[in-house]
């Protein structure tokens, strides 16, 4: 996968969640069961597997999605702790602004999760391959001159 270097704003985005370190404990008892939700422009595009009983999970999971305009796109990474009873607890979240070229060079990025105090860190990488996206033409209805 190449990195973004041209004027094309549309293309294929590859997002990889590598691992997290020293995640904040969200439960009173035991260790956490963390997972990551990845969103592009507030739309969920991926949910990682749940890693049971750890505060430093290793994922190495990737997702690909098509972007129509990278200059107006923002990534969010939300880390949750899975609960058997009640709702899952948010551990922290971090954002990546895709309009910054340094964010999409496929080098690992360390993201701090500053939701409450020090919540740990998340390691991700993002790569963008520019390509022209051709939208299919909209169908046009032709009316028959005489009713059938």
């Amino acid at each position: 996968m190449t990195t973004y270097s041209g004027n094309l704003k549309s293309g294929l985005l590859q997002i990889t969640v590598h691992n997290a370190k020293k995640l904040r404990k969200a439960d009173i008892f035991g260790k956490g069961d963390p997972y990551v939700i990845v969103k592009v422009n507030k739309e969920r595009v991926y949910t990682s597997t749940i890693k049971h009983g750890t505060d430093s999970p290793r994922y190495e999971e990737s997702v690909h999605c098509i972007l129509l305009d990278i200059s107006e796109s923002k990534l969010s990474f939300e880390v949750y702790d899975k609960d058997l009873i009640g709702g899952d607890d948010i551990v922290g979240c971090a954002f990546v602004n895709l309009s910054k070229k340094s964010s999409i060079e496929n080098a690992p990025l360390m993201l701090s999760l500053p939701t409450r105090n020090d919540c740990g860190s998340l390691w991700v990488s993002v790569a963008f391959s520019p390509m022209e996206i051709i939208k299919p033409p909209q169908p046009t209805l032709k009316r028959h001159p005489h009713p059938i």
Side-chain angles (χ1 to χ4, degrees):
M1 179 157 288
T2 58
T3 58
Y4 177 64
S5 60
N7 293 327
L8 279 176
K9 294 180 181 182
S10 59
L12 184 67
L13 185 68
Q14 176 182 323
I15 306 159
T16 302
V17 178
H18 296 287
N19 63 322
K21 295 185 180 181
K22 298 181 182 177
L23 295 177
R24 175 183 63 84
K25 187 176 171 182
D27 294 331
I28 296 172
F29 301 106
K31 293 197 174 194
D33 303 310
Y35 65 95
V36 181
I37 294 176
V38 180
K39 295 181 179 179
V40 177
N41 299 328
K42 299 181 182 178
E43 181 180 335
R44 183 188 298 209
V45 296
Y46 187 74
T47 302
S48 75
T49 57
I50 299 167
K51 301 296 182 177
H52 297 282
T54 182
D55 68 350
S56 296
R58 184 158 199 78
Y59 297 100
E60 296 305 333
E61 298 176 16
S62 296
V63 64
H64 295 84
C65 51
I66 293 175
L67 290 181
L68 296 178
D69 188 349
I70 193 167
S71 67
E72 296 180 9
S73 297
K74 186 176 184 181
L75 276 178
S76 65
F77 297 88
E78 300 172 356
V79 180
Y80 287 87
D81 178 41
K82 181 71 178 168
D83 284 339
L84 295 176
I85 300 172
D88 297 346
D89 300 315
I90 188 153
V91 174
C93 65
F95 302 93
V96 174
N97 186 342
L98 295 176
S99 64
K100 294 181 180 178
K101 186 178 174 192
S102 61
S103 299
I104 53 174
E105 293 183 338
N106 205 20
L109 299 170
M110 193 274 298
L111 305 174
S112 294
L113 300 169
T115 302
R116 295 183 202 133
N117 300 323
D118 181 20
C119 297
S121 58
L122 181 67
W123 288 84
V124 303
S125 58
V126 181
F128 182 71
S129 294
M131 65 177 71
E132 189 172 355
I133 306 293
I134 300 172
K135 293 182 184 178
Q138 295 296 321
T140 56
L141 296 175
K142 293 186 178 181
R143 298 186 184 266
H144 195 275
H146 302 288
I148 299 176

